Amino acid sequence: MIGQAVNRVDGPLKVTGRATYAYEYWEAGQPLYGSIVGATIGKGRITGIDTGSAERAPGVRMVMTHHNAPEQGPRDESIPFEYWRAQPVLTGPDIHHYGEPVALVVAETFEQARAAADLVEVEYRLGRGRFAFDEHEGEAYAPKEANAGLPTDTAVGDFDSGFGSASVRVDERYTTPYEFSMPMEPHACLVEPRGEDLIVYVSCQIVDAAQASIAATLRIDPSLVHVVTPFVGGGFGSKLGIHSETILAALAARDLRRPVKVAMTRQQIFQLIGMRPTSRQRVRLGAARDGRLTALAHDVTMHTNPDVEYAEQTAATTRSLYAAPHRLTSHRLTPLDLPRGTDVRAPGEAPGMLAVESAMDELADALEMDPVELRIRNEPTVDPERDVPYSDRHLVDCLREGARRFGWDRRCVTPASRREGRWWVGYGMSAAIRGHFQGPAAVRVRLTADGTAVVQTDMTDIGTGTYTVLTQVTADGLGLPADRVRIELGRSDFPTSWGSGGSWGAANSTTAAHRACLTLREKLLAAASGDTRSPLYGRDPADAVFADGSVRVGDASEPLSEITARIPEEGREAEGRTLFMGDDPNYSAYSIHTYGAHFAEVGVDVDTAEIRLRRMLGVFSVGRVLNAKTARSQLMGGMIWGAGAALEEEAVVDPRSGAFVNRDLAQYLVPVHADIPEVEVVVLDGYDDKANVLGAKGVGELGICGSGASVANAVFNATGVRVRDFPITIEKVLPGLPLMDA
């Protein structure tokens, strides 16, 4: 069952509209509706706010501002992880960034709330805002640590000496723009008050974090907050923590003693949920004439919010990727009065590999060496900075298999030398690596009297297939058909996990489920072998086989339903757990990652410089695959995301106000079907026994890692134009396009 391409068990619910999302709950009865009013300046102070007209508007039940908002708990920086901290709103007159909530209007209908929100009049005193990254890059400072607790800087050997003595050197700067998670489901919340308790239907990725954050903000016991989120319409990092719509809905519901719904508009999402920081990256590579790296440095400067620090681990990927005796990496932050940076799919790896893998292509060009061979030549034997062995590294296998399948030997070595009609044609490739993380997770498996397995955990399904892989692992562990397994997710009353994010969700939850099944098997076998009514009485449990809904020991067998019908409930329930990676010795003794190789073919119009992606191939090593179909889908989605980052995605800041100019999906470009041709995904067979007992590792973010660089390198191969300021657009390629004969 594990590894098979099983269709999503929740698929029928979704395609028939029976999967209920946060904004769609009606069990609480007729709710009130809230509309957020955002600041129209980027820095300053509210000097006056007139809510009279809004309060007198039809259907309005409340207008909440900093004047009447309840007191809230402060952000507690001693809590290690941002998403578990309080997230207070409307706490004072100061404006920290454009769009920051300045009021919430609550009315009987959605339309009444939106109309009344336009009637709130706010006067400001403008402050001097810092909005332009280029103007303030010199103010950058070193944070205490990078995201996920990683070191800010690392140094091995003597970089200056190694780089200075290198026969061939690359020293280039790359820039990446602000980028956003844009899930299909907007950030939304319904809060229903029940006595002192709050039932919170919210779209979030980590239930435990949502519960803790809401409770800390409202200053109430976490046991009074009941989070419900069985289905999440995408997250990509933007729903790891809760946001202002949730806190505002909770505050209003407590005050009005009525259910309150609040959803962000698409434009508000651009200003209120945070984004991937813009970055300026300097990559220096020094190599001998044979292509072996002697020195490697990756220095990153990015934006941060002055009040909520975030240092995306952009240079951290480089630390484990290639061998080189002399090494440097660093992270610096430039404070700007913009929304805070936050985890966006593949935080660190996505922008970091875009730069490093472009630089490796530049080195290959300078050496006149095949880019695949250059990477193979610099394959390390141990982690070059931690000096520990890799758990299961198959990057070279990915590179070679990808080159074979793609037809890499047909690549023209000289850029701008292959033309097909009106198109310059080029090939590009890149390597991929991503750290595998493990977080604490608990899963409860219970057998009902009829032998059905019920699996419960607060783990979420953000569209990645959690319901399906948990079904497969549980069915495999208890020898049940898939239709005898029921998965219940996304409730704070269930056993706690770190939810979906960081590509840890599937491996964490399935490992915990597997362990729960093992414990439950022991209980069932003990009950059956010690029960004179059972055909298994007196049999050796060590020889037991669970299959087809029955337990067999030798020539004796008994249906699970008959065993469970005779034993008390505590005998047919078990819980399994995973540890935080810091408490698991394997994660200190080994360097545990996933790997891949990307290949891309592009066409570039000879006159207009229009870039068209023609095909992509990704070959990946992710340990054991839990579901071949969902894994392929996740990897393909990541590859497409990477192509968009290379060619389209870019949020533009108005330097006068700090507003994002293109804050809608008409102007913030992401790939559509016409942009993406054939995408082939290949996953190598594998099993990483250092990662977990199932041998499985995360796939959700690996697909984006390096994908954009393969496209960028293909554009160079097609045209000879090297663009280091992403995304690669027509106006950046056109001036350097080869001249054509008349």
Side-chain angles (χ1 to χ4, degrees), residues 22 52 92 95 120 136 157 159 165 174 243 269 272 305 332 351 354 410 447 484 526 536 666 688 731 733:
I95 300 301
V120 176
H136 298 278
F159 174 79
S165 61
Y174 306 85
H243 299 282
I269 291 174
L272 294 179
N305 179 276
R332 297 295 181 266
L354 197 54
R410 298 193 298 271
L447 282 169
R484 293 273 298 280
L536 305 179
D688 191 336
E731 61 269 24
V733 176

Side-chain angles (χ1 to χ4, degrees), residues 564-587:
T564 57
R566 292 195 307 268
I567 61 179
E569 288 191 13
E570 62 269 18
R572 40 186 154 105
E573 179 177 292
E575 195 166 288
R577 295 181 176 274
T578 59
L579 297 173
F580 171 60
M581 58 190 294
D583 300 321
D584 187 328
N586 277 352
Y587 285 81

